[in-house]
Amino acid sequence: MSDQYTFQNPVTQYRTEGFEPQPQEGPGLASELGPTPDHGESTYRGTGRLAGRKALVTGADSGIGRAATIAFAREGADVVLNYLPEEQQDADQVAQLVRDAGRKAVLAPGDLTDEAFARSLVRTAVDELGGIDLIANVAGKQQHVEDVADLTSAQFEETVRTNLNALFWIVQEAVPHLPPGSTVVNTSSVQGYQPSPNLVDYATTKSGIIALSKALAQQLAPKGIRVNVVAPGPVWTPLQVAGGQPDEAMPQFGQSTPIGRAAQPAELAPAYVFLASPESSYVVGEVLNVNGGMPTP
Ligand code: NAD
Ligand code: MG
């Protein structure tokens, strides 16, 4: 059987001709996506790169956050998993995979747009894991709106609160607890450089995450805390079918990248592991683009 460690052509690996439209309500569920995404469940192999680490992952239930969580656990980390209460069934599956890897999974459902809740995640990690030394901010909100006249203030503010404020609240709360060697990995997007006309609010936040991360990275580096960013291209996750793209865009989703297809979440996990682990010790304020070959600055 071939997997992501098999020497093979990345063009034909995970090849699809796009996806059937399959709209979902709310944040969406990975368990309802067809085809079933690959988050590395049956393939990711750990090599001890995060042994004993204490991680907080937001958006851990599905998509890229789920792939990162599985990888972190198999690399030896205990994990606090944040997600929305509606996503409990996805989160339960991920928690089981973390436990199967012999690590501790702490379920912490709740809404990141609530400042008190977002900040409380740090306390949860400190209390339940005995500390915190790795944060992967992966949660994000993306809702396409074709005409700026229809982009409500409520949506604009919710996108900014979810994608930017929550990240700031969590990191600010965590800094006093983060020992030297700790790592923060934030999640931008190719949208941060190449904004789509129908993602005005979302693209703005994804650009903002890069600036915020590069500023913080310089501030925290002298304390031995490294901040970096992963910037994915098109990835097969619930975000896209739950309002992230128009339904009619799904057949072409990912097809225009140089690799000619969308990514599976499993292809993002190694980027998070690399930036989280001590092997990237001299990588600070960097953006690791995992986007199928779209040029970035
Ligand atoms: P996803 O839907 O699987 O994950 C997004 C998660 O965000 C959800 O599972 C949910 O738990 C969380 N979330 C959203 N609003 C929240 C809130 N108010 N409170 C708490 N949690 C909340 O989709 P994904 O594509 O894996 O998204 C993960 C990250 O990757 C996002 O930051 C997204 O912007 C980014 N990204 C995705 C793509 C893509 O093509 N899928 C491309 C570039 C960047
Ligand atoms: Mg989800």
Side-chain angles (χ1 to χ4, degrees):
M1 195 197 87
S2 92
D3 63 21
Q4 64 264 44
Y5 304 100
T6 310
F7 181 73
Q8 62 183 304
N9 183 345
V11 173
T12 51
Q13 181 188 12
Y14 291 125
R15 173 85 202 127
T16 70
E17 305 290 335
F19 302 89
E20 295 287 331
Q22 46 192 284
Q24 288 193 40
E25 294 297 320
L29 289 174
S31 49
E32 289 180 9
L33 288 174
T36 302
D38 181 5
H39 310 91
E41 287 91 339
S42 58
T43 50
Y44 189 89
R45 294 184 212 152
T47 55
R49 287 183 286 173
L50 300 175
R53 297 286 294 273
K54 302 167 176 35
L56 165 63
V57 182
T58 66
D61 58 299
S62 59
I64 298 164
R66 179 184 189 137
T69 300
I70 292 168
F72 286 0
R74 291 187 188 171
E75 295 288 355
D78 293 332
V79 191
V80 172
L81 293 77
N82 168 248
Y83 50 92
L84 287 163
E86 307 92 283
E87 302 172 304
Q88 190 65 44
Q89 77 181 81
D90 274 357
D92 285 338
Q93 292 176 355
V94 186
Q96 190 55 51
L97 289 162
V98 171
R99 291 175 190 132
D100 291 348
R103 308 310 311 182
K104 188 167 183 181
V106 178
L107 294 171
D111 189 337
L112 289 172
T113 64
D114 175 345
E115 178 173 352
F117 173 76
R119 290 183 180 279
S120 78
L121 287 168
V122 173
R123 175 50 57 192
T124 301
V126 169
D127 289 348
E128 302 283 334
L129 304 183
I132 182 167
D133 59 31
L134 166 52
I135 302 172
N137 287 300
V138 189
K141 177 183 168 73
Q142 176 185 331
Q143 290 288 308
H144 75 91
V145 175
E146 305 308 308
D147 187 332
V148 69
D150 300 323
L151 177 53
T152 62
S153 284
Q155 171 168 330
F156 194 95
E157 283 170 16
E158 198 177 318
T159 304
V160 173
R161 277 176 92 82
T162 309
N163 298 3
L164 275 173
N165 293 52
L167 191 158
F168 160 65
W169 293 326
I170 289 170
V171 174
Q172 185 182 55
E173 194 70 23
V175 166
H177 300 279
L178 294 173
S182 295
T183 44
V184 177
V185 187
N186 294 327
T187 306
S188 179
S189 168
V190 67
Q191 290 289 327
Y193 309 112
Q194 296 182 23
S196 295
N198 61 355
L199 294 175
V200 168
D201 52 338
Y202 176 82
T204 300
T205 65
K206 292 294 161 175
S207 248
I209 288 167
I210 294 173
L212 181 154
S213 302
K214 290 192 174 197
L216 262 180
Q218 295 170 79
Q219 191 186 126
L220 298 181
K223 296 182 196 291
I225 302 167
R226 293 183 299 109
V227 180
N228 287 289
V229 181
V230 176
V235 188
W236 180 230
T237 71
L239 184 90
Q240 300 296 351
V241 301
Q245 301 284 337
D247 292 341
E248 56 276 17
M250 293 320 297
Q252 288 82 45
F253 183 65
Q255 299 293 301
S256 65
T257 63
I259 289 279
R261 62 172 177 84
Q264 290 294 325
E267 296 179 277
L268 276 294
Y272 286 84
V273 170
F274 170 66
L275 294 173
S277 89
E279 69 194 338
S280 60
S281 50
Y282 208 60
V283 181
V284 177
E286 184 58 275
V287 183
L288 180 40
N289 295 286
V290 186
N291 70 19
M294 290 179 278
T296 54

